[in-house]
């Protein structure tokens, strides 16, 4: 994938740019400092670079930062930004303010190829991967950039299906020469691609959330076709055998769908899986969508299910849906202009 912006280049890639233009090797660290430390996206303002080199960079990278093309604000304060990239790749980025936290849900792909039954993103199909720069652009170009406390790869797309670029983005976010953000502030939410999950554990220190949505294999195949190629039991086994560190949060995401996955047997099996894998359960009520046939459970049904899990001894949290009125809530992103 060709990166048309200097944003999203690692220190080694910046060194190659310097080598190409016969600049000293230490200049790569200066560029990284301007981009990631000082958050400066104008070559003319990078005063310790020679004027000639700045002109060369402007020629190579005419645009550093692409602005968002649309912004919607929910009644609850949630924001949804729209970004339009080349080749008709359109993505949405959700910003969720809550007390002293600002969480940003970034997209890693335009659309998605996996077709989870509850997710509006899957309905539009796969339109293409995002580069590391296009992922980071979703953070750098929003109004809240300097106030971000948490980042979740939980927007449009499957992060592990675009692993190389997602890994680069995480590297830039967490390395000392990059944004130097604590990896404990970053979570990768994934449906569980078995060939990539081990790399996510070993190469990063970020938190991991596995989309489960049913504790029973046959039912999970109906909700999530990926169960055929990457059975969740196998994914969880990889995580267990990797001795996932306790200081990294590990959770199971569970969409609550009325009359489908909320029985007592579901609660008991879900609790069993969570405790065996030392994971927290995040419950997320299904967010109604006109294109999907599932139903949202009532609050009392949700609380009853949560209590059934708690009685079994599992650690369970109920996540409040945010931004539903602007289709920014979990499972509703579809990049409609």
């Amino acid at each position: 994938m060709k990166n048309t912006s200097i944003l999203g280049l690692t220190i080694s890639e910046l060194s190659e740019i310097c080598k190409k233009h016969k600049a000293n090797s230490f200049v790569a660290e200066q560029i990284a400092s301007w981009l990631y430390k000082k958050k400066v996206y104008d070559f003319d303002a990078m005063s310790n670079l020679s004027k000639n080199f700045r002109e060369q960079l402007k020629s190579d990278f005419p645009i550093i930062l692409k602005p968002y093309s649309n912004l919607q604000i929910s009644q609850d304060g949630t924001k949804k930004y729209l970004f339009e990239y080349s080749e008709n790749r359109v993505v949405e980025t959700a910003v969720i303010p809550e007390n002293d936290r600002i969480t940003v849900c970034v997209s890693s792909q335009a659309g998605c190829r996996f077709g989870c039954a509850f997710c509006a993103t899957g309905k539009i199909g796969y339109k293409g991967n995002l580069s590391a720069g296009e992922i980071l652009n979703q953070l750098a170009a929003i109004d809240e950039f300097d106030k971000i406390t948490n980042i979740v790869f939980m927007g449009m797309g499957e992060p592990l299906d675009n692993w190389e670029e997602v890994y680069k983005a995480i590297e830039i976010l967490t390395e000392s020469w990059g944004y130097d953000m604590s990896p404990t502030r970053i979570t990768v939410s994934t449906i569980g691609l078995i060939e990539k999950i081990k790399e996510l554990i070993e190469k990063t220190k970020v938190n991991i959330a596995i989309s489960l949505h049913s504790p029973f294999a046959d039912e999970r195949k109906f909700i999530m076709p990926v169960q055929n190629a990457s059975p969740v039991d196998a994914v969880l086994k990889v995580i267990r055998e990797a001795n996932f560190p306790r200081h990294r949060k590990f959770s199971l995401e569970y969409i609550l769908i009325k009359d489908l996955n909320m029985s007592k047997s579901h609660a008991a099996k879900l609790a069993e899986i969570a405790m065996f894998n030392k994971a927290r359960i995040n419950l997320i009520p299904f967010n109604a969508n006109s294109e999907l046939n599932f139903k949202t459970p009532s609050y009392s049904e949700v609380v009853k299910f949560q209590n059934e899990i708690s009685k079994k001894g599992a650690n369970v949290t109920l996540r409040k849906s945010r931004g539903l009125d602007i289709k920014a809530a979990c499972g509703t992103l579809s990049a409609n202009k």
Side-chain angles (χ1 to χ4, degrees):
M1 181 183 303
K2 183 179 180 182
N3 195 347
T4 57
S5 172
I6 198 169
L7 186 72
L9 297 187
T10 64
I11 197 74
S12 61
E13 290 171 323
L14 291 173
S15 295
E16 289 299 314
I17 299 296
C18 293
K19 184 177 179 181
K20 171 186 172 183
H21 293 295
K22 297 180 172 54
N24 291 322
S25 58
F26 65 80
V27 175
E29 294 182 6
Q30 292 177 327
I31 300 171
S33 178
W34 284 113
L35 290 173
Y36 306 132
K37 297 288 188 192
K38 300 173 184 177
K39 301 174 183 177
V40 170
Y41 306 117
D42 179 357
F43 288 122
D44 289 330
M46 299 181 183
S47 55
N48 59 353
L49 306 183
S50 72
K51 184 176 180 181
N52 180 59
F53 186 45
R54 279 180 272 162
E55 292 303 315
Q56 291 170 329
L57 290 176
K58 281 193 273 186
S59 177
D60 285 351
F61 305 102
I63 299 173
I64 298 180
L65 198 65
K66 186 173 180 60
Y68 57 85
S69 58
N70 191 34
L71 169 63
Q72 292 178 270
I73 303 176
S74 168
Q75 293 178 352
D76 62 26
T78 300
K79 291 184 176 182
K80 185 173 72 171
Y81 292 88
L82 186 78
F83 291 93
E84 298 182 58
Y85 296 129
S86 62
E87 298 175 349
N88 199 32
R89 291 170 302 129
V90 184
V91 300
E92 292 174 327
T93 308
V95 177
I96 306 167
E98 188 171 13
N99 299 324
D100 58 347
R101 292 165 56 103
I102 291 185
T103 300
V104 182
C105 294
V106 296
S107 295
S108 55
Q109 297 178 310
C112 183
R113 71 174 89 244
F114 291 96
C116 295
F118 60 85
C119 183
T121 303
K123 294 294 182 183
I124 67 176
Y126 171 73
K127 306 297 183 182
N129 285 333
L130 302 187
S131 69
E134 289 165 337
I135 293 170
L136 295 175
N137 190 95
Q138 295 170 71
L139 302 169
I142 63 175
D143 302 337
E144 295 79 9
F145 185 33
D146 290 327
K147 300 176 184 178
I148 295 171
T149 61
N150 298 79
I151 298 170
V152 186
F153 285 80
M154 200 181 186
M156 299 175 68
E158 164 51 46
L160 295 191
D161 192 39
N162 187 19
W163 167 242
E164 287 75 16
E165 297 301 314
V166 167
Y167 174 63
K168 274 181 59 178
I170 292 172
E171 182 183 6
I172 293 166
L173 285 167
T174 58
E175 288 291 340
S176 59
W177 51 261
Y179 290 109
D180 200 20
M181 184 177 189
S182 170
T184 62
R185 297 283 189 173
I186 301 172
T187 299
V188 172
S189 180
T190 172
I191 58 178
L193 300 184
I194 197 159
E195 69 275 11
K196 297 297 182 183
I197 195 74
K198 190 173 183 181
E199 288 189 66
L200 175 62
I201 297 168
E202 294 179 348
K203 291 186 175 182
T204 77
K205 296 180 181 179
V206 300
N207 304 317
I208 296 177
I210 299 294
S211 297
L212 183 60
H213 310 318
S214 176
F216 303 117
D218 287 344
E219 187 173 77
R220 189 171 188 263
K221 287 179 185 177
F222 166 68
I223 299 173
M224 305 176 67
V226 73
Q227 174 70 13
N228 289 296
S230 289
V232 73
D233 286 349
V235 173
L236 294 175
K237 183 180 179 183
V238 170
I239 296 173
R240 287 196 307 273
E241 292 178 348
N243 294 317
F244 196 75
R246 287 177 177 255
H247 66 271
R248 293 171 68 178
K249 294 178 183 177
F250 175 41
S251 57
L252 300 174
E253 305 285 353
Y254 197 89
I255 299 288
L256 297 170
I257 303 172
K258 184 179 176 66
D259 300 327
L260 180 62
N261 63 351
M262 296 181 61
S263 69
K264 282 189 175 182
S265 61
H266 284 93
K269 186 64 176 177
L270 177 57
E272 177 187 323
I273 291 172
M275 289 188 290
F276 182 66
N277 290 281
K278 299 177 182 177
R280 168 186 289 274
I281 301 166
N282 285 330
L283 299 179
I284 310 166
F286 171 70
N287 293 306
N289 188 300
S290 60
E291 297 179 8
L292 305 174
N293 296 321
F294 296 134
K295 296 179 181 178
T296 303
S298 66
Y299 180 71
S300 61
E301 290 172 320
V302 169
V303 171
K304 181 179 178 181
F305 188 74
Q306 182 182 17
N307 289 339
E308 286 291 332
I309 295 171
S310 295
K311 285 191 295 185
K312 301 295 181 180
N315 193 344
V316 58
T317 300
L318 176 61
R319 186 188 299 166
K320 185 188 299 184
S321 290
R322 298 286 300 273
L324 189 56
D325 56 323
I326 59 170
K327 293 185 177 181
C330 181
T332 63
L333 298 179
S334 59
N336 290 319
K337 298 182 185 180

